């Protein structure tokens, strides 16, 4: 397996209702303010937002045990914000691990969603996508020049708009625990980012920190031997 310019993760188009909902709500809020509206019918509050809409800290995202304090600070480096839309109930580490167990040992065709991270409505749009996939084996071959290789798991690569952690998992939760699952966990900017001219190393470390945090939480949820070989803290120096 070679980690190419897209992290050697196969691409697949995914329609996300949550992102569309956010954009529609943003337009609705703008229109409401312009017209001076004071209330809405149905399940929306006076501010035009659904009654269940919440804004939370980074450590409360993705089920509440996926983003460490370090990763939450890294999210601020990436997004410029320390507050985010609360994650959908389906976006938890427990659910992602269950989905992976259900698929194993089949190699996934594309990336499966583990979590989506959005800045609050009313702020400048910024969205991150956390994904997982099952690979045939450990990554081999050189990585694209945009990536810095880090010594975590089977391989970790980080760029200024994405990072991937590859780790191996042998677990009693897997159908055949004698086999090893090769897992790729990715965190990436959702859209068409421009490569920054400054803070390149800071962004690479930030993406790697978030990817490590979710990967470690996933390994623990799967009950991987030795946590899939992942360190307790992210290793951010080049391999």
């Amino acid at each position: 397996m070679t980690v190419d310019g897209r992290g050697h993760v196969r691409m697949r188009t995914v329609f996300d209702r949550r992102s569309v909902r956010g954009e529609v709500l943003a337009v609705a809020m703008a229109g409401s303010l312009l017209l001076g509206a004071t209330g809405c019918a149905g399940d929306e509050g006076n501010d035009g937002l659904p009654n269940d809409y919440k804004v939370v800290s980074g450590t409360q995202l993705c089920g509440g045990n996926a983003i460490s304090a370090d990763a939450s600070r890294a999210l601020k480096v990436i997004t410029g914000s320390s507050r985010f839309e609360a994650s959908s109930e389906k976006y938890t580490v427990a659910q992602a691990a269950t989905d992976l167990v259900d698929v194993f040992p089949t190699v996934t065709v594309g990336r499966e969603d583990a979590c989506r991270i959005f800045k609050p409505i009313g702020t400048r749009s910024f969205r991150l996508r956390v994904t997982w996939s099952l690979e045939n084996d450990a990554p081999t071959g050189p990585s694209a020049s945009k990536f810095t290789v880090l010594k975590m798991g089977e391989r970790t690569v980080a760029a200024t708009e994405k990072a991937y952690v590859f780790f191996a998992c042998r677990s009693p939760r897997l159908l055949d625990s004698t086999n090893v699952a090769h897992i790729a966990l990715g965190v990436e900017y959702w859209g068409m980012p421009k490569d920054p001219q400054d803070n390149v190393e800071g962004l690479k470390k930030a993406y790697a920190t978030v990817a490590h945090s979710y990967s470690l939480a996933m390994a623990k949820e799967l009950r991987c031997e030795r946590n899939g070989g992942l360190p307790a803290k992210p290793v951010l120096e080049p391999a």
Side-chain angles (χ1 to χ4, degrees):
M1 184 189 313
T2 300
V3 182
D4 59 21
R6 292 183 293 182
H8 193 70
V9 178
R10 293 170 290 278
M11 302 297 292
R12 182 172 65 177
T13 301
V14 177
F15 178 74
D16 180 34
R17 294 180 180 177
R18 184 171 175 79
S19 65
V20 174
R21 173 192 180 196
E23 291 166 2
V24 170
L25 287 172
V27 172
M29 285 182 66
S32 176
L33 291 171
L34 180 64
L35 296 174
T38 58
C40 298
D43 60 351
E44 293 183 348
N46 291 336
D47 55 7
L49 294 173
N51 290 328
D52 62 351
Y53 183 81
K54 295 180 181 179
V55 176
V56 300
S57 66
T59 55
Q60 294 173 283
L61 292 169
C62 310
N65 60 348
I67 305 298
S68 66
D70 286 342
S72 182
R73 287 188 286 269
L75 282 176
K76 187 171 184 179
V77 174
I78 295 169
T79 69
S81 178
S82 59
R83 305 291 287 174
F84 306 90
E85 286 189 36
S87 302
S88 167
E89 292 181 0
K90 68 180 180 180
Y91 288 143
T92 66
V93 176
Q95 185 60 55
T98 296
D99 293 342
L100 187 150
V101 169
D102 289 343
V103 171
F104 183 79
T106 304
V107 174
T108 53
V109 174
R111 299 169 297 166
E112 302 295 331
D113 284 319
C115 192
R116 300 283 178 95
I117 298 174
F118 301 86
K119 287 177 64 175
I121 292 172
T123 63
R124 185 176 179 180
S125 176
F126 199 108
R127 298 171 291 179
L128 292 176
R129 185 181 179 199
V130 183
T131 62
W132 63 267
S133 62
L134 282 170
E135 305 292 331
N136 279 312
D137 47 31
T140 58
S143 300
S145 59
K146 68 186 293 183
F147 288 106
T148 294
V149 179
L150 306 174
K151 196 173 182 179
M152 292 191 287
E154 293 183 308
R155 180 179 295 184
T156 296
V157 292
T160 56
E161 78 289 352
K162 65 182 70 175
Y164 296 100
V165 175
F166 297 81
F167 66 98
C169 178
R170 179 178 281 110
S171 165
R173 287 196 63 184
L174 299 175
L175 180 64
D176 184 350
S177 60
T178 62
N179 291 335
V180 177
H182 296 280
I183 302 167
L185 195 292
V187 176
E188 63 184 274
Y189 180 93
W190 190 11
M192 298 294 291
K194 295 181 179 179
D195 287 335
Q197 300 302 310
D198 56 4
N199 201 28
V200 170
E201 292 306 312
L203 282 170
K204 288 185 176 183
K205 290 180 179 180
Y207 274 97
T209 298
V210 178
H212 164 269
S213 179
Y214 202 106
S215 296
L216 183 59
M218 186 81 148
K220 289 180 177 179
E221 187 68 35
L222 288 168
R223 303 206 303 271
C224 302
E225 291 182 5
R226 298 176 52 252
N227 290 332
L230 296 173
K233 291 286 187 178
V235 178
L236 303 177
E237 296 304 317

